[in-house]
Amino acid sequence: MDRKLKYLAAALFAAGPLSLTAPLALAQQKNPERNVYYGETHVHTSWSFDAFAFGDTVTGPETFYQYSLGKPVAHPGGYQVKITKPLDWGAVTEHAEYMGMIQEAMDPGSPLRKNSPVVAEAFKAGVRADPLLAFKLLSLTIAKGETIKQLANPVVAAPVWKRIVDIADKYYQPGTFTTFAAYEWTATPNSKNLHRNIFFRDSTKVPQVPFTPLDSTDPSALWNWMDQQRAAGNELLAISHNANLSDGLMFPTEVDHTGRPIDRAWAEARLRNEPLTEMKQVKGQSETTPGLSPNDEFANYEVFVWHLLGRKGPPPREYGSYVRQAYKDGVAMEQARGFNPFKFGVVGGSDSHVSVVPYRQKNFFGVHGTVDDSPQKRIDGATVLGLNSLWVTPAGLSAVWAEENTREAIFDAMKRKETYSTSGVRVAVRFFGGWSLDAGMFKQKDWVKSAYARGVPMGADLPAKNARAPTFAVWATKDPDSGNLDRVQIVKGWSMHGQSFEKVYDVAWAGARKPDPATGKVPPVGSTVDLARATYTNTIGAVELKAVWTDPEFDPSLDAFYYTRVLEIPTPRWSTMQAVKLGRVPPSGPGFSAIIQERAWSSPIWYTPSAEARKTARPGVTVADLKKQGSLALSDAQLKELLVGKTVKVRNAVTGERFEILHGTTGRRLITTVNGRPAALTGAGEMMHGGDQDYEIRDGRLRTDINGTEFDVAVYKLGDKYLAARSNEFGYANYEVEPLKE
């Protein structure tokens, strides 16, 4: 530990052991067909310790609410800013751990100064010496489960939490602007993101102090506390966020980060307490990646690769970190185990650490206090904790369909998952599914009323049917202040025998483009972006798109989900706009480009087969079946004899795909052919199946990885046949293995 760090450690811990003039959003009457309301679920002010360390030393919760209402407010960089359009609702979500403690340490009359003056002075001295270093030190103690007990004392913490709740009440204007009592639970074990934002339905029914990572960093413990709160009459919900930075821990399928099995009780606790996840925020999107979705041409959008707290190491794992894969794993678990822990909806947020949040490319003024408060700093790539400001994107927005703009109506919309996320734009999106929706429904003036009566909205479950395919109605209109619409897509995922699949369908699009007869994909909309001027024109695209679509490949025996994704035409990214203003070449790099396509993502609609429909599914082979027939897994020696230095043929019994795989003698494996063609020509070997990768034979398993996530393969001999089971396919033995004759 260097001298500066030793000084701060001593200073912080010596005293205690570790253990309204602007226009408002329009009020709307109660509407049984529901209105869309745009809001913020995730923002910090100087009352969060890290925001203060990043240079936001002046703003507070009131600043955010004033800004959200459209009032000009001061940016920590020393200039005034104003939101482009007022919000309908929002909440400040300060980090629960050490919430407001800097302000308490500075206030001579605070409970902290009265109860623990030595701790307050040490805390104040550490912050003044180096706020960022002090933040790192505190974060390290939290990650290790240690506590500065005096700062977490309810006598000290409760008054700060009460002020946050009181400020939310002060700005709550039912029918016009809605606020919530909320906070962030910031569990970061080993620098891996497991964060959740906690929302309370009624500010008069909240605990004395929040449950924090100082109490436990285990989500199961948080859910248990939430159950206790609900039993006491305090209705609340959690929103997980930044799954993309969880290093595979946000959506586990076998065991959680403590080693606890993912069983029905775990799934039910998550579903009961955590109906939503954050799809988009300033640190990227959590939908999917090109590695997880190689056939999705729009997957490479704001893919953010960074370790929390600047930790070094390989890129975070993708499996278990992205929403679409979690949905796919969820339906596979439903089929194999009878429960699905990942039936959550989506919202958007900012995670801005300055209370004046940029939601627009053209109005981007940074998100980390004074670290990135000028165009020069941002374009020069100013960093904080290893985070390059060029990677950061404007905030996402949460949209809810609710009867009115009140706490009760908006909370209930979040609870039932009738929500969607946008990249920051205000695209309006409706999505319904049902068994009797028809192509003529949009001709009806009251088509939305009919859709509710005859189907279910985003976030809901289709009632089970055994025969015909479901039909989906999707409608979208452009943001008046942004680009026209390119297309509307429906993303489908389904599962068979522990394997999950996805397909993206273009269902409505602008112009006279024709889908490719072979792939069904619609050609690009084109681009009007002028990179030299960082401008675009709305001479292409559509103002409104709508379609009624029937799944052409529906199998009533298989679990499935559907969600819609709406894309705008290409527009310049903020970094392009600001580079041009500075007379520089627009930058681009991993995770961001000079041109983007803003978008919206709906919550899914799920289909779960009836017991009768499941009986019609083609049976698969399970490990349990093999064991009943007397088959045993090969030992290490037998696996080496079968594989090492040899090429084997592998057939996927679910898809029919055939591979030839060479397992070298130096611990590297290579897929050489796919369906009889050289893998290098198909791209499938690398993109879909891991390509040239390390492997190891240990404990009766061949161990390798895909997209940074390890899995193992057990091989069983049954008579003269070899059958293999992957550990991430929920107990199915889906692969036939045949050694090539030499």
Side-chain angles (χ1 to χ4, degrees):
M1 185 180 291
D2 63 30
R3 182 177 302 174
K4 198 173 189 182
L5 189 60
K6 286 181 178 178
Y7 165 76
L8 281 178
L12 283 171
F13 303 130
L18 290 176
S19 9
L20 296 175
T21 58
L24 302 178
L26 294 177
Q28 294 175 296
Q29 297 299 314
K30 193 167 185 177
N31 176 12
E33 273 72 62
R34 298 165 184 161
N35 309 303
V36 63
Y37 298 105
Y38 296 99
E40 172 64 81
T41 59
H42 188 183
V43 66
H44 302 276
T45 78
S46 68
W47 291 24
S48 288
F49 189 83
D50 53 351
F52 191 98
F54 302 153
D56 182 5
T57 61
V58 294
T59 74
E62 291 204 58
T63 310
F64 168 72
Y65 291 127
Q66 292 166 4
Y67 173 78
S68 299
L69 288 164
K71 183 178 180 179
V73 297
H75 189 283
Y79 49 86
Q80 273 200 338
V81 294
K82 184 178 179 180
I83 197 170
T84 52
K85 188 179 291 185
L87 298 178
D88 297 309
W89 60 278
V92 172
T93 55
E94 308 288 13
H95 295 299
E97 58 281 4
Y98 308 137
M99 179 188 291
M101 286 302 103
I102 295 180
Q103 289 75 15
E104 293 293 283
M106 304 297 180
D107 179 4
S110 72
L112 177 61
R113 293 288 289 269
K114 291 178 180 178
N115 287 276
S116 303
V118 178
V119 173
E121 286 299 323
F123 193 74
K124 186 166 63 173
V127 170
R128 286 176 173 170
D130 189 329
L132 189 57
L133 193 56
F135 162 66
K136 289 181 179 180
L137 191 58
L138 285 179
S139 298
L140 184 63
T141 68
I142 294 167
K144 290 182 176 181
E146 299 170 339
T147 308
I148 305 175
K149 293 182 179 179
Q150 292 88 339
L151 297 181
N153 187 334
V155 173
V156 173
V160 178
W161 170 235
K162 184 178 186 303
R163 285 200 296 276
I164 286 176
V165 175
D166 289 345
I167 291 170
D169 286 342
K170 175 181 176 180
Y171 285 90
Y172 179 33
Q173 301 173 31
T176 300
F177 181 68
T178 292
T179 62
F180 289 95
Y183 73 92
E184 180 175 354
W185 178 80
T186 322
T188 315
N190 298 316
S191 299
K192 298 178 181 181
N193 178 82
L194 291 177
H195 303 181
R196 271 80 171 172
N197 291 317
I198 313 301
F199 276 64
F200 293 88
R201 190 174 190 266
D202 184 345
S203 67
T204 68
K205 297 178 180 179
V206 297
Q208 179 191 21
V209 292
F211 184 85
T212 82
L214 304 176
D215 300 301
S216 175
T217 61
D218 184 358
S220 294
L222 172 67
W223 301 332
N224 183 57
W225 176 82
M226 292 177 68
D227 286 338
Q228 294 171 7
Q229 291 297 311
R230 199 173 293 108
N234 303 339
E235 185 58 40
L236 70 172
L237 61 80
I239 305 171
S240 58
H241 76 80
N242 264 130
N244 59 326
L245 301 183
S246 70
D247 200 18
L249 295 185
M250 188 63 79
F251 308 124
T253 59
E254 298 298 330
V255 296
D256 67 11
H257 78 289
T258 69
R260 173 184 169 162
I262 306 304
D263 55 16
R264 182 179 295 277
W266 190 95
E268 290 176 349
R270 181 166 190 151
L271 291 170
R272 189 168 56 247
N273 291 291
E274 204 164 294
L276 299 170
T277 197
E278 185 183 80
M279 184 71 93
K280 165 71 168 58
Q281 62 137 267
V282 300
K283 291 194 282 291
Q285 55 83 15
S286 292
E287 182 194 16
T288 192
T289 71
L292 293 172
S293 302
N295 294 320
D296 182 352
E297 68 232 78
F298 299 105
N300 194 25
Y301 166 74
E302 298 291 350
V303 177
F304 194 96
V305 180
W306 174 71
H307 286 294
L308 288 173
L309 306 178
R311 180 174 65 87
K312 304 296 183 182
R317 290 175 290 172
E318 294 186 349
Y319 278 89
S321 297
Y322 285 86
V323 169
R324 189 187 298 177
Q325 185 64 45
Y327 288 153
K328 291 164 59 179
D329 287 339
V331 294
M333 295 168 77
E334 181 77 59
Q335 183 190 53
R337 300 175 181 170
F339 58 83
N340 179 357
F342 303 132
K343 293 178 77 169
F344 48 73
V346 297
V347 291
S350 69
D351 199 12
S352 175
H353 282 67
V354 56
S355 59
V356 289
V357 182
Y359 298 102
R360 301 282 185 167
Q361 305 291 333
K362 64 183 179 182
N363 198 33
F364 186 73
F365 33 77
V367 296
H368 287 108
T370 57
V371 173
D372 59 356
D373 61 0
S374 72
Q376 289 86 355
K377 290 180 182 178
R378 293 190 285 272
I379 299 301
D380 286 342
T383 61
V384 56
L385 302 175
L387 192 162
N388 187 319
S389 61
L390 282 169
W391 302 340
V392 178
T393 183
L397 271 177
S398 295
V400 301
W401 287 101
E403 293 82 357
E404 60 183 349
N405 192 349
T406 62
R407 282 177 175 169
E408 296 78 13
I410 291 177
F411 184 95
D412 291 349
M414 291 195 289
K415 191 76 173 177
R416 69 173 177 267
K417 301 173 283 194
E418 196 172 353
T419 62
Y420 65 95
S421 171
T422 85
S423 57
V425 294
R426 299 195 182 197
V427 176
V429 181
R430 290 273 201 183
F431 185 48
F432 293 91
W435 305 102
S436 60
L437 304 180
D438 59 74
M441 64 183 299
F442 285 119
K443 296 178 182 178
Q444 305 172 29
K445 186 177 181 180
D446 60 348
W447 74 267
V448 172
K449 182 177 181 180
S450 176
Y452 275 115
R454 297 162 59 192
V456 297
M458 61 181 77
D461 289 89
L462 283 168
K465 296 286 184 180
N466 294 335
R468 61 184 174 188
T471 299
F472 298 88
V474 58
W475 167 89
T477 58
K478 76 178 294 282
D479 180 336
D481 301 318
S482 191
N484 283 343
L485 302 181
D486 167 13
R487 70 187 70 198
V488 173
Q489 302 177 308
I490 289 181
V491 179
K492 176 188 176 182
W494 69 99
S495 171
M496 177 183 285
H497 303 161
Q499 293 181 17
S500 57
F501 307 91
E502 65 179 64
K503 190 169 183 178
V504 181
Y505 297 89
D506 292 318
V507 300
W509 53 89
R513 293 173 286 168
K514 300 293 183 182
D516 183 285
T519 66
K521 294 182 178 180
V522 173
V525 69
S527 177
T528 65
V529 174
D530 183 338
L531 283 176
R533 295 180 175 82
T535 60
Y536 73 97
T537 61
N538 273 323
T539 54
I540 58 175
V543 172
E544 178 187 56
L545 291 172
K546 55 191 174 184
V548 177
W549 175 82
T550 301
D551 181 358
E553 300 171 282
F554 179 68
D555 184 333
S557 69
L558 302 180
D559 297 82
F561 66 85
Y562 305 83
Y563 68 88
T564 192
R565 183 172 66 185
V566 182
L567 301 178
E568 286 189 359
I569 64 171
T571 53
R573 193 175 188 266
W574 73 262
S575 47
T576 297
M577 298 179 186
Q578 296 185 14
V580 168
K581 287 182 179 179
L582 294 173
R584 303 188 190 182
V585 173
S588 63
F592 70 96
S593 62
I595 298 172
I596 63 167
Q597 287 189 259
E598 303 275 20
R599 57 197 65 193
W601 304 264
S602 79
S603 294
I605 294 172
W606 287 268
Y607 168 75
T608 303
S610 65
E612 182 182 354
R614 285 198 190 280
K615 293 178 182 177
T616 66
R618 175 164 57 89
V621 177
T622 67
V623 172
D625 294 332
L626 296 176
K627 290 181 177 179
K628 285 180 182 178
Q629 297 176 64
S631 179
L632 297 174
L634 300 189
S635 66
D636 286 5
Q638 291 170 322
L639 280 172
K640 291 175 182 178
E641 176 64 24
L642 176 70
L643 300 174
V644 176
K646 300 173 183 176
T647 297
V648 294
K649 292 181 178 180
V650 177
R651 178 180 175 271
N652 184 330
V654 178
T655 65
E657 289 181 300
R658 298 174 182 273
F659 309 92
E660 291 186 6
I661 307 175
L662 169 63
H663 292 86
T665 58
T666 59
R668 298 286 288 179
R669 66 164 176 86
L670 176 67
I671 296 175
T672 57
T673 70
V674 178
N675 295 327
R677 297 180 61 202
L681 297 179
T682 66
E686 180 178 355
M687 293 289 289
M688 298 178 65
H689 306 285
D692 182 7
Q693 295 285 342
D694 289 329
Y695 78 91
E696 179 185 11
I697 292 174
R698 174 168 46 89
D699 302 326
R701 298 290 188 272
L702 182 149
R703 301 175 187 272
T704 185
D705 67 73
I706 292 179
N707 294 322
T709 298
E710 182 180 285
F711 67 92
D712 61 60
V713 179
V715 179
Y716 298 82
K717 189 172 183 181
L718 187 63
D720 59 353
K721 293 183 178 180
Y722 292 96
L723 298 173
R726 280 173 47 159
S727 60
N728 59 348
E729 293 186 1
F730 308 102
Y732 283 89
N734 288 319
Y735 302 90
E736 300 168 358
V737 181
E738 179 186 350
L740 277 180
K741 295 180 180 179
E742 299 181 1

